[in-house]
Amino acid sequence: MEKEIFKHCLINAVKYGGKARVDAVLGKILAENPELKEKRKEVVKKIKEVVKEINSLSLEEQKKKLEELGIEIEKPRVEEKELPPLPNAEVGKVVMRLAPYPSGPLHIGNARMVILNDEYVKRYKGKLFLVIDDTIGSEEKFVIPEAYEMIIDGLKWLGVKWDNLVYKSDRLEIFYQYAEELIKKGLAYVCECDANTLRKNRATGLECIHRNQSVEENLEKWKKM
């Protein structure tokens, strides 16, 4: 039993940076020797002694002892995966967009999205648009001026290059123009519901009470906004 404990302590230590763990070694010992479950306390005591001894050695010393025992640790296999192709995508015609909200630096979720878009652009020799989405602020989530530069710095650090930089706030007049055209065509309406009502309607599938307003009424309310 002692030899088995010593072996598994060494293997565990070398695998995890020079520090063996009692619970990990115990699991291995009991899996290979189920009959020792009845002597669990005795086994744990011995493992603790050996773990203390092994952990006092340097990682190089641990590796040397493993070699002396003729044990080689298999390196973990790294499975390489490729991004799936984009449906109906054509080389030179793919356009991807990044639209971070400037409330702070890029977070992990942003970085993942950024890298995926960048990789697809490279694969299809397309274009990448960076759109700073600074028109959706609220009392809970507001624009932080320093975040504009933080986002740019974060993208540069990730090695991402964009073809065009757009600030949504610079295009408000364009958005207003198209919004008014949609209202005139009866394809949009002015909603005056509060946030709680909006959430409730979405959750229950209820129609907004303002949806059936006339075009004239919507335009009047739109111009007062």
Side-chain angles (χ1 to χ4, degrees):
M1 181 180 74
E2 290 186 17
K3 288 183 179 180
E4 286 296 305
I5 290 174
F6 188 79
K7 179 186 75 173
H8 283 298
C9 281
L10 269 178
I11 292 172
N12 188 253
V14 171
K15 274 187 175 180
Y16 298 100
K19 297 297 178 184
R21 286 174 44 199
V22 173
D23 58 338
V25 176
L26 177 63
K28 285 286 186 181
I29 294 297
L30 295 183
E32 293 179 1
N33 306 276
E35 70 279 1
L36 292 177
K37 289 180 180 179
E38 296 179 2
K39 300 180 180 179
R40 186 185 181 92
K41 288 185 179 180
E42 182 183 337
V43 174
V44 170
K45 182 180 178 182
K46 187 61 184 177
I47 290 174
K48 286 181 177 179
E49 292 174 1
V50 178
V51 163
K52 185 177 180 181
E53 177 189 348
I54 296 297
N55 287 353
S56 67
L57 303 174
S58 69
L59 183 57
E60 290 305 314
E61 289 173 324
Q62 293 168 354
K63 289 179 179 179
K64 187 175 180 180
K65 286 188 176 294
L66 266 185
E67 288 177 6
E68 291 172 357
L69 293 175
I71 299 172
E72 290 185 11
I73 296 179
E74 290 185 14
K75 293 182 179 179
R77 295 179 181 177
V78 178
E79 185 180 353
E80 294 186 5
K81 294 183 179 181
E82 289 189 358
L83 289 173
L86 293 175
N88 304 316
E90 296 181 32
V91 174
K93 294 185 178 181
V94 170
V95 177
M96 306 297 284
R97 184 191 74 149
L98 313 174
Y101 177 69
S103 60
L106 296 175
H107 52 68
I108 295 298
N110 294 140
R112 179 177 181 275
M113 174 269 295
V114 163
I115 291 170
L116 286 174
N117 283 333
D118 186 47
E119 288 300 316
Y120 275 123
V121 167
K122 290 174 182 175
R123 175 184 289 189
Y124 290 101
K125 296 180 173 59
K127 291 186 176 181
L128 184 63
F129 281 38
L130 173 57
V131 181
I132 304 297
D133 197 358
D134 54 354
T135 60
I136 56 172
S138 65
E139 291 182 3
E140 294 81 19
K141 190 176 181 182
F142 49 88
V143 170
I144 298 175
E146 296 83 2
Y148 288 89
E149 196 63 35
M150 289 177 180
I151 290 170
I152 299 296
D153 289 344
L155 292 172
K156 288 180 179 177
W157 185 83
L158 288 169
V160 173
K161 296 180 180 179
W162 53 92
D163 298 280
N164 198 8
L165 173 59
V166 176
Y167 295 92
K168 273 196 173 182
S169 56
D170 291 341
R171 301 166 66 85
L172 284 177
E173 289 301 321
I174 298 173
F175 300 149
Y176 288 148
Q177 178 186 337
Y178 278 97
E180 189 165 319
E181 286 182 17
L182 289 171
I183 291 172
K184 288 178 179 178
K185 292 177 180 179
L187 300 174
Y189 62 91
V190 176
C191 172
E192 297 175 304
C193 295
D194 58 39
N196 288 332
T197 302
L198 279 172
R199 280 193 288 269
K200 184 179 178 181
N201 287 349
R202 287 170 185 161
T204 57
L206 289 176
E207 182 180 72
C208 174
I209 60 173
H210 304 98
R211 185 171 183 175
N212 295 314
Q213 294 170 159
S214 67
V215 170
E216 291 73 23
E217 190 176 359
N218 279 316
L219 281 172
E220 184 180 348
K221 290 182 177 181
W222 170 255
K223 289 175 181 177
K224 290 179 180 179
M225 291 177 71

